[in-house]
Amino acid sequence: AQKITQTQPGMFVQEKEAVTLDCTYDTSDPSYGLFWYKQPSSGEMIFLIYQGSYDQQNATEGRYSLNFQKARKSANLVISASQLGDSAMYFCAMSRGSGNTGKLIFGQGTTLQVKP
Amino acid sequence: GAVVSQHPSWVICKSGTSVKIECRSLDFQATTMFWYRQFPKQSLMLMATSNEGSKATYEQGVEKDKFLINHASLTLSTLTVTSAHPEDSSFYICSASVPGMGGETQYFGPGTRLLVL
């Protein structure tokens, strides 16, 4: 069975510093996708970054980068130069089933608080 | 960018009534949409897959007669919570993938908060 694990319920980071949010996954499928979403208090799910299992390079999107270590089955999110607006809940997710089915399973989430 | 809307954003209803939630893809067509439920401080759980022109497929443990899904067009899926009870109070959120982008990324609607009294 597929599983996503986020072991950090809450994290604090000083404004302008970098922070890493941990995510490990388990799957027997050779093809899968890994995602990070941000959920502010308003509830909307904001797509941040995507990594395909066959991608050779780590994904980057602006201040977000995904540290993909396939052998360790980890897909940590790195946010550089944290901003106050980054305070939110962050979810790691994986596409379910072989390849991309569109279905996602989510980790438990990590609440990030950025301190001024 | 891809935009998914939901209506209503908030709904309060009495126990025993039915509530309909709409999910629309505004600038693209979606043959498949997904419905998730999220309880406070918890993760999102997939409820069902909404397929345009055919029956929805439900995840294990989700009552299909209670959560009716209709995907009548390529831009609209509806979720009807029938005979709602207080335990159905939750945050319901839909998603859709954008064709032509490999289907990798799911774009989510803003969600609907349901409170059943």
Side-chain angles (χ1 to χ4, degrees):
Chain A
Q2 293 176 302
K3 189 178 180 182
I4 287 272
T5 303
Q6 293 178 255
T7 57
Q8 305 157 315
M11 289 280 287
F12 288 92
V13 65
Q14 205 67 37
E15 191 179 10
K16 299 181 183 178
E17 292 185 350
V19 63
T20 298
L21 305 183
D22 295 341
C23 173
T24 58
Y25 62 92
D26 190 21
T27 181
S28 57
D29 292 320
S31 177
Y32 51 89
L34 295 160
F35 306 78
W36 277 92
Y37 285 87
K38 172 184 178 181
Q39 187 179 43
S41 56
S42 58
E44 61 187 308
M45 293 290 283
I46 302 169
F47 167 72
L48 297 179
I49 198 165
Y50 165 81
Q51 179 86 40
S53 58
Y54 292 119
D55 293 343
Q56 295 295 316
Q57 292 187 321
N58 287 345
T60 60
E61 290 285 349
R63 293 187 299 113
Y64 305 107
S65 60
L66 199 151
N67 184 1
F68 181 45
Q69 297 189 40
K70 196 169 183 178
R72 297 180 59 185
K73 293 189 175 179
S74 72
N76 298 340
L77 176 71
V78 180
I79 305 174
S80 62
S82 298
Q83 302 172 357
L84 295 177
D86 293 335
S87 295
M89 185 85 138
Y90 288 81
F91 288 98
C92 181
M94 177 168 62
S95 54
R96 279 174 49 176
S98 183
N100 172 55
T101 64
K103 299 180 181 182
L104 297 178
I105 56 169
F106 286 85
Q108 305 92 319
T110 296
T111 300
L112 176 66
Q113 291 193 30
V114 181
K115 293 182 175 181
Chain B
V3 179
V4 177
S5 72
Q6 277 185 245
H7 178 81
S9 55
W10 266 100
V11 58
I12 301 173
C13 69
K14 292 182 179 180
S15 186
T17 60
S18 294
V19 175
K20 180 184 283 189
I21 302 170
E22 295 185 347
C23 176
R24 292 182 185 273
S25 56
L26 297 185
D27 51 359
F28 65 100
Q29 294 182 327
T31 55
T32 304
M33 292 182 175
F34 301 91
W35 287 96
Y36 293 82
R37 180 167 55 183
Q38 184 182 30
F39 292 108
K41 305 294 184 184
Q42 294 187 25
S43 188
L44 280 75
M45 296 297 293
L46 180 66
M47 297 176 67
T49 303
S50 174
N51 305 298
E52 189 269 333
S54 64
K55 290 182 179 180
T57 52
Y58 291 81
E59 296 301 304
Q60 192 173 12
V62 177
E63 300 175 59
K64 61 180 181 181
D65 294 330
K66 181 164 185 64
F67 299 100
L68 301 179
I69 291 172
N70 184 272
H71 197 147
S73 77
L74 287 171
T75 59
L76 174 64
S77 173
T78 60
L79 168 68
T80 301
V81 183
T82 62
S83 186
H85 288 96
E87 58 265 30
D88 298 323
S89 299
S90 187
F91 186 60
Y92 294 87
I93 190 165
C94 68
S95 74
S97 57
V98 180
M101 292 181 65
E104 299 95 349
T105 302
Q106 290 293 311
Y107 289 90
F108 286 81
T112 298
R113 296 191 188 277
L114 170 64
L115 177 62
V116 185
L117 303 176

Short mmCIF file of all heavy atoms in Angstrom, two decimals, chain A residues 49-101:
data_model
loop_
_atom_site.label_atom_id
_atom_site.label_comp_id
_atom_site.label_asym_id
_atom_site.label_seq_id
_atom_site.Cartn_x
_atom_site.Cartn_y
_atom_site.Cartn_z
N ILE A 49 4.89 22.57 -5.92
CA ILE A 49 5.97 21.95 -6.68
C ILE A 49 5.66 20.49 -6.92
O ILE A 49 4.93 19.85 -6.14
CB ILE A 49 7.31 22.11 -5.90
CG1 ILE A 49 8.51 21.90 -6.80
CG2 ILE A 49 7.36 21.23 -4.67
CD1 ILE A 49 9.82 22.40 -6.18
N TYR A 50 6.20 19.96 -8.04
CA TYR A 50 5.96 18.58 -8.44
C TYR A 50 7.28 17.91 -8.82
O TYR A 50 8.15 18.53 -9.43
CB TYR A 50 5.02 18.55 -9.65
CG TYR A 50 4.99 17.23 -10.37
CD1 TYR A 50 4.23 16.17 -9.89
CD2 TYR A 50 5.75 17.02 -11.55
CE1 TYR A 50 4.21 14.95 -10.56
CE2 TYR A 50 5.72 15.81 -12.21
CZ TYR A 50 4.95 14.78 -11.71
OH TYR A 50 4.93 13.57 -12.36
N GLN A 51 7.39 16.63 -8.44
CA GLN A 51 8.56 15.83 -8.81
C GLN A 51 8.08 14.48 -9.33
O GLN A 51 7.34 13.78 -8.64
CB GLN A 51 9.45 15.60 -7.58
CG GLN A 51 10.68 14.76 -7.83
CD GLN A 51 11.86 15.58 -8.33
OE1 GLN A 51 12.11 16.68 -7.87
NE2 GLN A 51 12.60 15.05 -9.28
N GLY A 52 8.46 14.13 -10.53
CA GLY A 52 8.14 12.83 -11.08
C GLY A 52 9.19 11.81 -10.66
O GLY A 52 10.36 12.15 -10.49
N SER A 53 8.78 10.57 -10.54
CA SER A 53 9.70 9.55 -10.04
C SER A 53 10.86 9.31 -10.99
O SER A 53 11.92 8.81 -10.57
CB SER A 53 8.95 8.24 -9.78
OG SER A 53 8.32 7.77 -10.96
N TYR A 54 10.68 9.63 -12.25
CA TYR A 54 11.76 9.42 -13.22
C TYR A 54 12.57 10.68 -13.50
O TYR A 54 13.50 10.65 -14.31
CB TYR A 54 11.19 8.87 -14.52
CG TYR A 54 10.63 7.47 -14.39
CD1 TYR A 54 9.29 7.21 -14.64
CD2 TYR A 54 11.44 6.41 -14.01
CE1 TYR A 54 8.78 5.92 -14.53
CE2 TYR A 54 10.94 5.12 -13.89
CZ TYR A 54 9.61 4.88 -14.15
OH TYR A 54 9.11 3.61 -14.03
N ASP A 55 12.18 11.77 -12.84
CA ASP A 55 12.92 13.01 -13.07
C ASP A 55 14.32 12.88 -12.48
O ASP A 55 14.49 12.48 -11.33
CB ASP A 55 12.19 14.20 -12.42
CG ASP A 55 10.88 14.49 -13.10
OD1 ASP A 55 10.68 14.01 -14.24
OD2 ASP A 55 10.03 15.18 -12.50
N GLN A 56 15.31 13.25 -13.28
CA GLN A 56 16.69 13.12 -12.83
C GLN A 56 17.11 14.25 -11.92
O GLN A 56 17.95 14.07 -11.02
CB GLN A 56 17.63 13.08 -14.05
CG GLN A 56 17.42 11.86 -14.94
CD GLN A 56 17.78 10.56 -14.24
OE1 GLN A 56 18.79 10.46 -13.58
NE2 GLN A 56 16.90 9.58 -14.36
N GLN A 57 16.53 15.42 -12.15
CA GLN A 57 16.94 16.58 -11.36
C GLN A 57 15.85 16.93 -10.34
O GLN A 57 14.66 16.71 -10.56
CB GLN A 57 17.18 17.77 -12.27
CG GLN A 57 18.40 17.61 -13.17
CD GLN A 57 18.71 18.88 -13.94
OE1 GLN A 57 17.81 19.57 -14.39
NE2 GLN A 57 19.99 19.20 -14.06
N ASN A 58 16.29 17.52 -9.25
CA ASN A 58 15.35 17.99 -8.25
C ASN A 58 14.55 19.16 -8.80
O ASN A 58 15.10 20.05 -9.46
CB ASN A 58 16.09 18.44 -6.98
CG ASN A 58 16.63 17.25 -6.20
OD1 ASN A 58 16.23 16.12 -6.43
ND2 ASN A 58 17.54 17.52 -5.28
N ALA A 59 13.26 19.16 -8.49
CA ALA A 59 12.40 20.23 -8.97
C ALA A 59 12.64 21.52 -8.18
O ALA A 59 12.93 21.48 -6.98
CB ALA A 59 10.94 19.81 -8.84
N THR A 60 12.54 22.62 -8.88
CA THR A 60 12.62 23.92 -8.22
C THR A 60 11.55 24.84 -8.80
O THR A 60 11.25 24.79 -10.00
CB THR A 60 14.01 24.59 -8.41
OG1 THR A 60 14.22 24.76 -9.81
CG2 THR A 60 15.11 23.75 -7.82
N GLU A 61 10.99 25.68 -7.93
CA GLU A 61 10.00 26.67 -8.34
C GLU A 61 10.19 27.90 -7.46
O GLU A 61 9.72 27.96 -6.35
CB GLU A 61 8.56 26.14 -8.16
CG GLU A 61 8.12 25.07 -9.09
CD GLU A 61 7.83 25.57 -10.50
OE1 GLU A 61 7.76 26.79 -10.70
OE2 GLU A 61 7.67 24.72 -11.40
N GLY A 62 10.95 28.85 -7.97
CA GLY A 62 11.18 30.05 -7.19
C GLY A 62 11.90 29.75 -5.90
O GLY A 62 12.99 29.18 -5.89
N ARG A 63 11.28 30.09 -4.77
CA ARG A 63 11.91 29.86 -3.46
C ARG A 63 11.71 28.43 -2.97
O ARG A 63 12.22 28.07 -1.90
CB ARG A 63 11.33 30.85 -2.45
CG ARG A 63 11.69 32.30 -2.69
CD ARG A 63 11.22 33.19 -1.56
NE ARG A 63 9.77 33.16 -1.36
CZ ARG A 63 9.18 32.64 -0.29
NH1 ARG A 63 9.90 32.09 0.68
NH2 ARG A 63 7.87 32.67 -0.18
N TYR A 64 10.99 27.63 -3.73
CA TYR A 64 10.72 26.25 -3.32
C TYR A 64 11.60 25.29 -4.12
O TYR A 64 11.74 25.42 -5.33
CB TYR A 64 9.25 25.88 -3.57
CG TYR A 64 8.26 26.81 -2.93
CD1 TYR A 64 7.52 27.71 -3.69
CD2 TYR A 64 8.05 26.78 -1.56
CE1 TYR A 64 6.60 28.55 -3.09
CE2 TYR A 64 7.13 27.63 -0.96
CZ TYR A 64 6.42 28.51 -1.73
OH TYR A 64 5.51 29.36 -1.13
N SER A 65 12.15 24.34 -3.42
CA SER A 65 12.87 23.26 -4.09
C SER A 65 12.53 21.95 -3.39
O SER A 65 12.21 21.93 -2.19
CB SER A 65 14.38 23.51 -4.09
OG SER A 65 14.86 23.58 -2.77
N LEU A 66 12.57 20.90 -4.15
CA LEU A 66 12.23 19.59 -3.62
C LEU A 66 13.49 18.75 -3.61
O LEU A 66 14.10 18.53 -4.66
CB LEU A 66 11.14 18.94 -4.49
CG LEU A 66 10.34 17.78 -3.86
CD1 LEU A 66 8.95 17.70 -4.45
CD2 LEU A 66 11.07 16.47 -4.04
N ASN A 67 13.89 18.32 -2.44
CA ASN A 67 15.08 17.48 -2.29
C ASN A 67 14.64 16.02 -2.40
O ASN A 67 14.20 15.40 -1.43
CB ASN A 67 15.72 17.75 -0.92
CG ASN A 67 17.03 16.98 -0.76
OD1 ASN A 67 17.46 16.26 -1.66
ND2 ASN A 67 17.66 17.13 0.39
N PHE A 68 14.76 15.49 -3.62
CA PHE A 68 14.25 14.16 -3.93
C PHE A 68 15.38 13.15 -3.79
O PHE A 68 16.37 13.20 -4.53
CB PHE A 68 13.70 14.15 -5.36
CG PHE A 68 13.12 12.84 -5.81
CD1 PHE A 68 12.28 12.11 -5.00
CD2 PHE A 68 13.40 12.35 -7.09
CE1 PHE A 68 11.73 10.91 -5.42
CE2 PHE A 68 12.85 11.15 -7.53
CZ PHE A 68 12.02 10.43 -6.71
N GLN A 69 15.22 12.24 -2.84
CA GLN A 69 16.19 11.18 -2.65
C GLN A 69 15.45 9.85 -2.81
O GLN A 69 14.86 9.34 -1.84
CB GLN A 69 16.87 11.31 -1.29
CG GLN A 69 17.65 12.60 -1.15
CD GLN A 69 18.50 12.63 0.12
OE1 GLN A 69 19.09 11.63 0.50
NE2 GLN A 69 18.51 13.77 0.77
N LYS A 70 15.51 9.34 -4.02
CA LYS A 70 14.68 8.19 -4.38
C LYS A 70 15.02 6.95 -3.56
O LYS A 70 14.14 6.21 -3.13
CB LYS A 70 14.84 7.91 -5.87
CG LYS A 70 13.78 7.02 -6.47
CD LYS A 70 13.89 7.02 -7.98
CE LYS A 70 12.78 6.19 -8.60
NZ LYS A 70 12.85 6.24 -10.09
N ALA A 71 16.31 6.71 -3.36
CA ALA A 71 16.71 5.51 -2.62
C ALA A 71 16.22 5.55 -1.18
O ALA A 71 15.89 4.51 -0.60
CB ALA A 71 18.22 5.37 -2.67
N ARG A 72 16.17 6.74 -0.63
CA ARG A 72 15.70 6.89 0.74
C ARG A 72 14.20 7.11 0.80
O ARG A 72 13.62 7.22 1.88
CB ARG A 72 16.41 8.06 1.40
CG ARG A 72 17.91 7.89 1.55
CD ARG A 72 18.55 9.09 2.21
NE ARG A 72 17.99 9.33 3.55
CZ ARG A 72 18.30 10.37 4.30
NH1 ARG A 72 19.15 11.27 3.85
NH2 ARG A 72 17.77 10.51 5.49
N LYS A 73 13.57 7.23 -0.36
CA LYS A 73 12.14 7.49 -0.46
C LYS A 73 11.76 8.74 0.35
O LYS A 73 10.85 8.71 1.19
CB LYS A 73 11.33 6.27 -0.01
CG LYS A 73 11.49 5.09 -0.95
CD LYS A 73 10.54 3.95 -0.64
CE LYS A 73 10.66 2.86 -1.68
NZ LYS A 73 9.76 1.71 -1.39
N SER A 74 12.49 9.79 0.08
CA SER A 74 12.16 11.04 0.74
C SER A 74 12.01 12.16 -0.29
O SER A 74 12.64 12.13 -1.35
CB SER A 74 13.23 11.42 1.77
OG SER A 74 14.41 11.84 1.14
N ALA A 75 11.17 13.11 0.03
CA ALA A 75 10.87 14.22 -0.88
C ALA A 75 10.66 15.47 -0.04
O ALA A 75 9.56 15.99 0.06
CB ALA A 75 9.62 13.90 -1.70
N ASN A 76 11.73 15.95 0.54
CA ASN A 76 11.64 17.09 1.45
C ASN A 76 11.48 18.40 0.69
O ASN A 76 12.09 18.60 -0.37
CB ASN A 76 12.88 17.17 2.33
CG ASN A 76 13.03 15.94 3.22
OD1 ASN A 76 12.07 15.20 3.45
ND2 ASN A 76 14.24 15.71 3.68
N LEU A 77 10.70 19.30 1.25
CA LEU A 77 10.51 20.62 0.66
C LEU A 77 11.43 21.61 1.35
O LEU A 77 11.48 21.66 2.59
CB LEU A 77 9.06 21.07 0.84
CG LEU A 77 8.74 22.49 0.36
CD1 LEU A 77 8.79 22.56 -1.17
CD2 LEU A 77 7.38 22.95 0.86
N VAL A 78 12.15 22.36 0.57
CA VAL A 78 13.03 23.40 1.11
C VAL A 78 12.46 24.76 0.68
O VAL A 78 12.25 25.00 -0.51
CB VAL A 78 14.47 23.25 0.61
CG1 VAL A 78 15.34 24.36 1.20
CG2 VAL A 78 15.03 21.89 0.99
N ILE A 79 12.20 25.59 1.66
CA ILE A 79 11.75 26.96 1.38
C ILE A 79 12.89 27.89 1.75
O ILE A 79 13.34 27.91 2.90
CB ILE A 79 10.49 27.34 2.20
CG1 ILE A 79 9.38 26.32 1.97
CG2 ILE A 79 10.02 28.74 1.82
CD1 ILE A 79 8.15 26.55 2.85
N SER A 80 13.37 28.63 0.79
CA SER A 80 14.48 29.54 1.06
C SER A 80 13.92 30.93 1.38
O SER A 80 12.81 31.28 0.97
CB SER A 80 15.41 29.62 -0.15
OG SER A 80 14.71 30.13 -1.26
N ALA A 81 14.68 31.69 2.14
CA ALA A 81 14.32 33.08 2.45
C ALA A 81 12.86 33.19 2.88
O ALA A 81 12.04 33.86 2.24
CB ALA A 81 14.59 33.97 1.25
N SER A 82 12.54 32.55 3.99
CA SER A 82 11.14 32.49 4.45
C SER A 82 10.53 33.88 4.62
O SER A 82 11.21 34.83 5.03
CB SER A 82 11.08 31.76 5.80
OG SER A 82 11.51 30.44 5.68
N GLN A 83 9.25 33.95 4.30
CA GLN A 83 8.50 35.19 4.44
C GLN A 83 7.33 34.96 5.39
O GLN A 83 6.88 33.83 5.57
CB GLN A 83 7.97 35.64 3.06
CG GLN A 83 9.05 35.85 2.04
CD GLN A 83 8.49 36.09 0.65
OE1 GLN A 83 7.27 36.05 0.42
NE2 GLN A 83 9.37 36.37 -0.31
N LEU A 84 6.83 36.03 5.97
CA LEU A 84 5.71 35.90 6.91
C LEU A 84 4.52 35.23 6.25
O LEU A 84 3.78 34.47 6.89
CB LEU A 84 5.32 37.27 7.46
CG LEU A 84 6.38 37.98 8.32
CD1 LEU A 84 5.89 39.35 8.75
CD2 LEU A 84 6.75 37.14 9.53
N GLY A 85 4.35 35.48 4.97
CA GLY A 85 3.23 34.88 4.25
C GLY A 85 3.38 33.39 4.01
O GLY A 85 2.44 32.74 3.52
N ASP A 86 4.51 32.85 4.35
CA ASP A 86 4.71 31.40 4.20
C ASP A 86 4.07 30.63 5.36
O ASP A 86 3.98 29.40 5.30
CB ASP A 86 6.20 31.06 4.15
CG ASP A 86 6.88 31.59 2.89
OD1 ASP A 86 6.18 31.79 1.88
OD2 ASP A 86 8.11 31.82 2.94
N SER A 87 3.64 31.31 6.39
CA SER A 87 3.00 30.64 7.53
C SER A 87 1.72 29.98 7.05
O SER A 87 0.80 30.65 6.55
CB SER A 87 2.70 31.65 8.64
OG SER A 87 3.87 32.19 9.18
N ALA A 88 1.67 28.67 7.19
CA ALA A 88 0.53 27.89 6.67
C ALA A 88 0.76 26.43 7.01
O ALA A 88 1.77 26.06 7.61
CB ALA A 88 0.41 28.05 5.16
N MET A 89 -0.21 25.61 6.60
CA MET A 89 -0.06 24.16 6.70
C MET A 89 0.50 23.69 5.36
O MET A 89 0.07 24.17 4.30
CB MET A 89 -1.43 23.53 6.94
CG MET A 89 -1.41 22.04 7.19
SD MET A 89 -1.08 21.67 8.90
CE MET A 89 -2.25 20.37 9.17
N TYR A 90 1.44 22.75 5.40
CA TYR A 90 2.05 22.23 4.18
C TYR A 90 1.81 20.73 4.11
O TYR A 90 2.06 20.00 5.07
CB TYR A 90 3.54 22.53 4.15
CG TYR A 90 3.83 23.99 3.91
CD1 TYR A 90 3.76 24.90 4.95
CD2 TYR A 90 4.14 24.46 2.64
CE1 TYR A 90 4.00 26.26 4.74
CE2 TYR A 90 4.39 25.80 2.41
CZ TYR A 90 4.31 26.69 3.46
OH TYR A 90 4.54 28.03 3.24
N PHE A 91 1.33 20.30 2.95
CA PHE A 91 1.05 18.88 2.74
C PHE A 91 1.92 18.32 1.63
O PHE A 91 2.04 18.91 0.55
CB PHE A 91 -0.42 18.66 2.36
CG PHE A 91 -1.39 18.88 3.48
CD1 PHE A 91 -2.06 20.08 3.61
CD2 PHE A 91 -1.63 17.87 4.41
CE1 PHE A 91 -2.96 20.28 4.65
CE2 PHE A 91 -2.52 18.06 5.44
CZ PHE A 91 -3.19 19.28 5.57
N CYS A 92 2.48 17.18 1.91
CA CYS A 92 3.16 16.37 0.91
C CYS A 92 2.14 15.36 0.38
O CYS A 92 1.32 14.84 1.16
CB CYS A 92 4.34 15.66 1.56
SG CYS A 92 5.32 14.61 0.45
N ALA A 93 2.17 15.11 -0.90
CA ALA A 93 1.20 14.18 -1.48
C ALA A 93 1.85 13.35 -2.57
O ALA A 93 2.86 13.73 -3.15
CB ALA A 93 0.01 14.95 -2.07
N MET A 94 1.23 12.21 -2.82
CA MET A 94 1.74 11.31 -3.86
C MET A 94 0.57 10.86 -4.71
O MET A 94 -0.53 10.60 -4.19
CB MET A 94 2.42 10.10 -3.21
CG MET A 94 2.94 9.06 -4.19
SD MET A 94 4.02 7.84 -3.40
CE MET A 94 2.91 7.11 -2.24
N SER A 95 0.82 10.76 -6.00
CA SER A 95 -0.23 10.23 -6.87
C SER A 95 -0.37 8.75 -6.61
O SER A 95 0.62 8.04 -6.45
CB SER A 95 0.10 10.49 -8.34
OG SER A 95 1.38 10.00 -8.67
N ARG A 96 -1.61 8.31 -6.57
CA ARG A 96 -1.91 6.92 -6.25
C ARG A 96 -1.91 6.05 -7.48
O ARG A 96 -2.32 6.47 -8.54
CB ARG A 96 -3.27 6.82 -5.57
CG ARG A 96 -3.25 7.16 -4.11
CD ARG A 96 -4.64 7.19 -3.53
NE ARG A 96 -5.42 6.02 -3.88
CZ ARG A 96 -6.63 5.80 -3.41
NH1 ARG A 96 -7.20 6.67 -2.61
NH2 ARG A 96 -7.31 4.73 -3.77
N GLY A 97 -1.47 4.83 -7.31
CA GLY A 97 -1.52 3.90 -8.42
C GLY A 97 -0.35 4.09 -9.34
O GLY A 97 0.42 5.03 -9.23
N SER A 98 -0.23 3.21 -10.27
CA SER A 98 0.88 3.26 -11.20
C SER A 98 0.71 4.44 -12.15
O SER A 98 -0.37 4.68 -12.66
CB SER A 98 0.92 1.95 -12.01
OG SER A 98 2.02 1.96 -12.87
N GLY A 99 1.78 5.16 -12.35
CA GLY A 99 1.71 6.33 -13.21
C GLY A 99 0.89 7.42 -12.56
O GLY A 99 0.85 7.53 -11.34
N ASN A 100 0.24 8.19 -13.36
CA ASN A 100 -0.57 9.28 -12.80
C ASN A 100 -2.04 8.97 -12.99
O ASN A 100 -2.55 8.91 -14.09
CB ASN A 100 -0.24 10.59 -13.51
CG ASN A 100 -1.18 11.69 -13.10
OD1 ASN A 100 -1.36 11.99 -11.93
ND2 ASN A 100 -1.85 12.27 -14.08
N THR A 101 -2.74 8.79 -11.90
CA THR A 101 -4.17 8.55 -11.98
C THR A 101 -4.95 9.80 -11.60
O THR A 101 -6.17 9.81 -11.71
CB THR A 101 -4.57 7.43 -11.00
OG1 THR A 101 -4.30 7.86 -9.66
CG2 THR A 101 -3.80 6.16 -11.31
#
